[in-house]
Amino acid sequence: MGRVKRRSCAPSRPRPGSYYRETRLDASLGSDILVPWPCCSPTMEPGSMENLSIVYQSSDFLVVNKHWDLRIDSKTWRETLTLQKQLRHHFPELADPDTCYGFRFCHQLDFSTSGALCVALNKAAAGSAYKCFKERRVTKAYLALVRGHVQESQVTINYAIGRNSTEGRTHTMCIEGTHGCENPKPSLTELLVLEHGLYAGDPVSKVLLKPLTGRTHQLRVHCSALGHPIVGDLTYGQAEGQEDHPFRMMLHAFYLRIPTQAECVEACTPDPFLPALDACWSPNTCVQPLEQLIQALRTDPDPDPMGGGPRPCSPSTPQPRPGRPPPETEAQRASCLQWLSEWTLEPDN
């Protein structure tokens, strides 16, 4: 049987029924053969108007499983497909004419990132989610495939992140001490290793990432600074021209919890980084099971902003409403808006 060289895992936008080219060194088989994709999973299909996935729904909130390479909204006419257009298509009755895009997105995800994204369906719900972000009571966890085998099972990444002022890189962020790094702010990420394996023949680790602060591109910058950039990250990944194997950036917003006073918005999206969904990913060593970490995420108590200690988040039990808080000052509101703006992620070039 002929020896098979490491294959490129297909074009950047695989479609159902498409093929990739595999090179064999056995002359009897020919130099190149076309091989059909091993699966046509929706996980690997490009976004479309129809493939909108809802993972949580109530009268006040939706949580969608955003597709990779999809903008949340855009005023540019060239953007024929955005998340807000998908929502208008599937839920025209929920669109609010008083908003710019019809829907109130409670936070942001990069164009290249997939996963859980919360949408408030009315002004009061948006205000309650805004309050949770302001008080830093939101829990987020991401799944990622990163280059190399991370040796420690758990790493706390503590690099301050600022904006890169270097010519040609002004759309990116960088860690403190980098040439051209402006206004770096403290940034903290917890990384837990799930599996070691290979992606298209290269060593890769599957990790769970918990951002404890909310800086622009934080997870991507921190993984790159650690020496383990996210697979498929064209901005912070390998040198230009080398990051050509994956069909997407391997970063996925896996878990989200927003403990508002009226309800606990909690959603866990399907894991997209499975061999059954992407034959290029081949795990060989389990470091810690994802199921245990999911359980820990769900049972971790939420901090109580009123100073009464931890308060568990229970979606089935509405939280008692405290007395009316004092009105927010202009300075407090400006500070909150500044913090929330740090979740707004600029599109990648």
Side-chain angles (χ1 to χ4, degrees):
M1 182 173 291
R3 182 164 60 91
V4 181
K5 294 174 69 175
R6 188 186 73 183
R7 69 170 183 259
S8 171
C9 283
S12 58
R13 297 292 181 272
R15 296 183 182 277
S18 63
Y19 293 78
Y20 63 83
R21 186 173 298 277
E22 187 169 273
T23 302
R24 296 179 184 266
L25 300 184
D26 187 336
S28 66
L29 297 173
S31 58
D32 286 344
I33 60 172
L34 290 177
V35 182
W37 274 87
C39 69
C40 290
S41 160
T43 305
M44 298 174 70
E45 294 176 8
S48 70
M49 196 64 75
E50 298 302 324
N51 63 357
L52 175 68
S53 173
I54 305 298
V55 292
Y56 178 96
Q57 184 171 4
S58 70
S59 58
D60 289 330
F61 294 99
L62 288 176
V63 178
V64 303
N65 186 9
K66 175 187 148 334
H67 204 279
W68 47 270
D69 284 10
L70 181 70
R71 298 197 192 284
I72 294 174
D73 46 42
S74 176
K75 294 181 180 179
T76 305
W77 64 269
R78 295 188 301 273
E79 293 290 345
T80 57
L81 181 67
T82 62
L83 179 55
Q84 66 95 3
K85 288 180 180 178
Q86 285 184 319
L87 288 168
R88 278 186 178 275
H89 177 72
H90 288 271
F91 302 100
E93 74 283 2
L94 298 180
D96 188 339
D98 293 334
T99 63
C100 179
Y101 297 108
F103 294 90
R104 295 178 171 88
F105 299 104
C106 298
H107 55 111
Q108 299 282 321
L109 286 179
D110 268 341
F111 165 75
S112 306
T113 306
S114 60
L117 181 69
C118 185
V119 183
L121 299 180
N122 54 68
K123 191 173 181 179
S128 65
Y130 170 97
K131 182 172 166 49
C132 289
F133 277 99
K134 172 187 173 182
E135 295 171 346
R136 306 193 180 215
R137 294 192 291 122
V138 175
T139 300
K140 287 183 171 186
Y142 293 69
L143 291 174
L145 298 182
V146 300
R147 295 286 178 190
H149 288 164
V150 183
Q151 295 306 307
E152 301 85 354
S153 61
Q154 182 170 349
V155 182
T156 298
I157 311 172
N158 187 13
Y159 294 113
I161 294 176
R163 188 165 296 278
N164 196 335
S165 63
T166 306
E167 185 176 357
R169 300 285 296 176
T170 54
H171 67 289
T172 67
M173 309 299 287
C174 53
I175 62 170
E176 188 173 21
T178 304
H179 176 71
C181 187
E182 292 185 346
N183 194 27
K185 296 182 179 179
S187 308
L188 199 62
T189 300
E190 287 185 1
L191 180 151
L192 297 98
V193 179
L194 303 173
E195 294 174 315
H196 290 152
L198 301 174
Y199 192 89
D202 293 325
V204 159
S205 301
K206 182 176 180 178
V207 299
L208 184 80
L209 300 166
K210 292 179 63 179
L212 304 183
T213 51
R215 311 303 178 202
T216 300
H217 297 175
Q218 175 175 317
L219 300 181
R220 299 165 63 186
V221 172
H222 270 176
C223 287
S224 180
L226 195 65
H228 297 281
I230 294 172
V231 175
D233 190 341
L234 303 180
T235 302
Y236 302 101
Q238 297 187 127
E240 188 175 353
Q242 296 182 20
E243 193 61 87
D244 59 352
H245 293 301
F247 63 94
R248 58 161 290 182
M249 182 174 73
M250 302 299 179
L251 179 61
H252 176 76
F254 177 62
Y255 178 83
L256 175 68
R257 185 171 71 222
I258 308 176
T260 72
Q261 289 293 333
E263 66 180 291
C264 180
V265 179
E266 184 176 38
C268 192
T269 59
D271 177 1
F273 307 136
L274 301 172
L277 301 178
D278 185 353
C280 294
W281 165 231
S282 177
N284 51 40
T285 304
C286 178
V287 178
Q288 47 192 326
L290 178 58
E291 292 74 17
Q292 291 182 8
L293 298 180
I294 294 173
Q295 186 61 29
L297 286 169
R298 285 177 166 160
T299 57
D300 278 351
D302 298 305
D304 187 347
M306 306 303 290
R311 179 176 61 196
C313 178
S314 172
S316 58
T317 308
Q319 302 294 338
R321 296 181 179 274
R324 181 181 296 274
E328 187 176 47
T329 66
E330 286 300 319
Q332 289 173 329
R333 180 171 178 78
S335 175
C336 183
L337 288 173
Q338 172 62 32
W339 184 84
L340 285 175
S341 72
E342 294 167 3
W343 292 82
T344 304
L345 308 181
E346 297 180 355
D348 299 326
N349 286 358

